[in-house]
């Protein structure tokens, strides 16, 4: 009986995972060789002028911009490619202070670099960076924010975690290779 109960529990957990994945929309970049997914509650939107200007002047290519909600409940996800070399100096230039190094976050077989809330009493988006063939792939999660917080909400943190878990390199999906057989995905040069 214990084995049957355990098997039923495993099946139910698997079905819950399938149901949760059904509510996510895929994003695939064959040109850059990666895929990810974002929640169905988000919709593709036009990049805000301030972000578009900043991206254009710094040579960053916007790949995906999605958002949900309005006003204080607005949340957005911006995926972009910075063609500058992926190294610690370039990542430090993206810090709110301009000098501190990012935290290293391992998700499955991938390594991301993270910046969250900074100082000064203002709100900061959660930003993750990934070494994509020697260039910087960024995933920026902005809002919503609680009135007393400098970081995005707990709901946004859950979206971040699930989105990073769904990130895959296409050449690994096709060949079945692990990250160990690929270029170093995340260890920047100092």
């Amino acid at each position: 009986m214990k084995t049957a109960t355990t098997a039923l529990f495993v099946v139910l957990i698997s079905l819950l995972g399938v149901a949760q994945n059904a509510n996510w929309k895929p994003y695939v970049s064959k040109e850059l060789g990666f895929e990810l997914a974002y929640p169905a509650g988000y919709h593709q939107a036009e990049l805000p002028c301030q972000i578009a200007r900043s991206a254009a002047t710094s040579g960053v290519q916007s790949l995906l911009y999605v958002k949900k909600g309005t006003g204080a409940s607005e949340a957005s996800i911006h995926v972009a490619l910075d063609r500058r070399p992926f190294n610690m100096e370039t990542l430090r230039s993206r810090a709110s202070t301009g000098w501190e190094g990012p935290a290293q976050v391992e998700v499955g077989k991938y390594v991301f670099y993270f910046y969250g809330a900074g100082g000064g009493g203002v709100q900061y988006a959660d930003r993750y960076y990934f070494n994509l063939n020697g260039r910087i792939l960024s995933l920026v999660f902005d809002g919503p924010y609680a009135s007393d917080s400098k970081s995005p909400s707990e709901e946004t943190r859950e979206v971040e975690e699930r989105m990073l878990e769904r990130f895959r390199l296409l050449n690994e999906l096709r060949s079945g290779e692990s990250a160990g057989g690929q270029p170093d995905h995340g260890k920047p040069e100092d």
Side-chain angles (χ1 to χ4, degrees), residues 97-172:
T97 60
W99 57 267
E100 66 187 338
Q104 186 174 316
V105 178
E106 291 187 38
V107 181
K109 59 186 168 187
Y110 301 111
V111 177
F112 295 87
Y113 288 82
F114 172 76
Y115 284 115
V122 297
Q123 297 170 329
Y124 290 88
D126 284 348
R127 298 169 290 144
Y128 294 85
Y129 301 105
F130 180 77
N131 182 355
L132 186 65
N133 302 317
R135 302 295 179 229
I136 303 168
L137 180 69
S138 65
L139 296 94
V140 178
F141 300 86
D142 195 8
Y145 298 90
S147 61
D148 60 343
S149 177
K150 294 188 287 184
S151 297
S153 69
E154 190 59 39
E155 177 187 346
T156 298
R157 293 274 168 100
E158 290 174 20
V159 167
E160 293 170 14
E161 183 178 327
R162 292 181 62 198
M163 210 166 147
L164 294 179
E165 288 171 350
R166 287 170 170 77
F167 178 86
R168 299 286 181 269
L169 294 175
L170 295 179
N171 60 354
E172 291 175 1

Side-chain angles (χ1 to χ4, degrees), residues 25 38-44 66-68 75-77 143-144 156 159:
K25 296 178 184 179
Y38 60 92
Y42 285 75
H43 63 279
Q44 289 194 18
V66 295
K67 69 178 201 168
K68 73 172 192 167
S76 68
I77 302 168
T156 298
V159 167

Side-chain angles (χ1 to χ4, degrees), residues 53 85 185:
R53 271 194 303 269
H185 298 302

Side-chain angles (χ1 to χ4, degrees), residues 169-181:
L169 294 175
L170 295 179
N171 60 354
E172 291 175 1
L173 294 172
R174 277 186 241 125
S175 68
E177 294 179 25
S178 68

Side-chain angles (χ1 to χ4, degrees), residues 18-62:
V18 168
Q20 289 175 339
N21 289 341
N23 293 329
W24 285 65
K25 296 178 184 179
Y27 173 81
V28 179
S29 174
K30 290 181 181 177
E31 175 189 340
L32 297 173
F34 75 93
E35 73 175 22
L36 49 80
Y38 60 92
Y42 285 75
H43 63 279
Q44 289 194 18
E46 191 172 315
L47 200 59
C49 290
Q50 179 182 358
I51 295 173
R53 271 194 303 269
S54 175
T57 59
S58 61
V60 172
Q61 176 186 2
S62 179

